[in-house]
Amino acid sequence: MEKGMVFENYPLWMVLVSNSLSLAIYALGIILLYELGAIYAVLYLAYCVWMEFRLLRGSCAKCYYYGKTCCFGKGRLCSFFMKKNESQKFGEREITWKDLLPDLMVFVFPFIGGIVLLFLRYHWMILVWMAALFLLSFPGNGVVRGSLACKYCRQRELGCPAERLFNKGNDLAK
């Protein structure tokens, strides 16, 4: 792995870009599911809030950036609500694709809702929302994580379970 510059605290513009992406994904999900009914949008919003809390508790409270500004600003946010958890250090955790399934559902729930909407009442705008959701969720997240977040991350250098999971294939090429 090539070593480069890392941030102790990420610049505010990176935090804004990273969070804008997540908020845009959540907003598109809410829009699509609201078209099915307000209760679906409310349930999805509750799911997104639960996912953020899960991230803070399960990762941010154990991360190097706890109390600091990571690319998503969550290390600093976490320190306001939770104590640092060193019972299992972040870098020692082992995660699998199964562990990422709840994160994937942030995309899947509204995308399925969009498919249902297309069958119930086709409208070209539903396709636009679904395409935007897909592009932000996959290529968009890839760009933010690859070009902003992970590229400058001190925790990646110290040991990051997500980095190990996503780069398993690259280890074989070395």
Side-chain angles (χ1 to χ4, degrees):
M1 174 188 324
E2 181 180 311
K3 298 226 178 202
M5 181 175 74
V6 296
F7 292 124
E8 287 299 311
N9 286 290
Y10 278 75
L12 181 59
W13 74 267
M14 285 188 180
V15 176
L16 293 174
V17 168
S18 299
N19 283 301
S20 295
L21 176 74
S22 296
L23 292 173
I25 291 168
Y26 297 161
L28 284 167
I30 289 169
I31 290 167
L32 279 163
L33 291 171
Y34 185 80
E35 289 295 315
L36 286 173
I39 188 66
Y40 298 109
V42 169
L43 290 172
Y44 178 73
L45 178 59
Y47 184 78
C48 291
V49 169
W50 174 76
M51 286 297 300
E52 290 293 330
F53 179 77
R54 176 180 170 264
L55 178 68
L56 291 174
R57 182 178 39 103
S59 295
C60 300
K62 300 171 186 172
C63 181
Y64 172 82
Y65 285 98
Y66 176 88
K68 299 177 182 182
T69 305
C70 68
C71 195
F72 301 93
K74 293 180 179 154
R76 192 170 298 276
L77 179 67
C78 182
S79 69
F80 291 126
F81 299 108
M82 298 171 194
K83 291 182 181 180
K84 185 153 180 73
N85 181 350
E86 295 185 37
S87 62
Q88 180 189 23
K89 294 195 187 285
F90 186 80
E92 296 171 1
R93 289 178 49 210
E94 190 66 37
I95 62 171
T96 65
W97 289 103
K98 183 180 135 192
D99 297 316
L100 297 180
L101 191 58
D103 299 282
L104 184 60
M105 293 292 114
V106 169
F107 163 79
V108 170
F109 291 146
F111 200 79
I112 290 173
I115 292 170
V116 170
L117 279 170
L118 288 173
F119 282 109
L120 293 176
R121 59 176 197 277
Y122 175 84
H123 192 279
W124 64 271
M125 200 62 204
I126 296 168
L127 285 174
V128 170
W129 292 331
M130 290 173 67
L133 178 66
F134 178 84
L135 291 172
L136 291 175
S137 295
F138 296 104
N141 258 319
V143 167
V144 164
R145 291 179 191 286
S147 299
L148 301 180
C150 302
K151 183 176 182 179
Y152 302 106
C153 182
R154 170 81 62 204
Q155 183 66 59
R156 181 198 51 152
E157 289 185 343
L158 299 173
C160 175
E163 196 269 338
R164 282 194 306 274
L165 176 69
F166 288 114
N167 288 320
K168 273 186 181 173
N170 294 342
D171 292 341
L172 299 176
K174 290 181 184 177

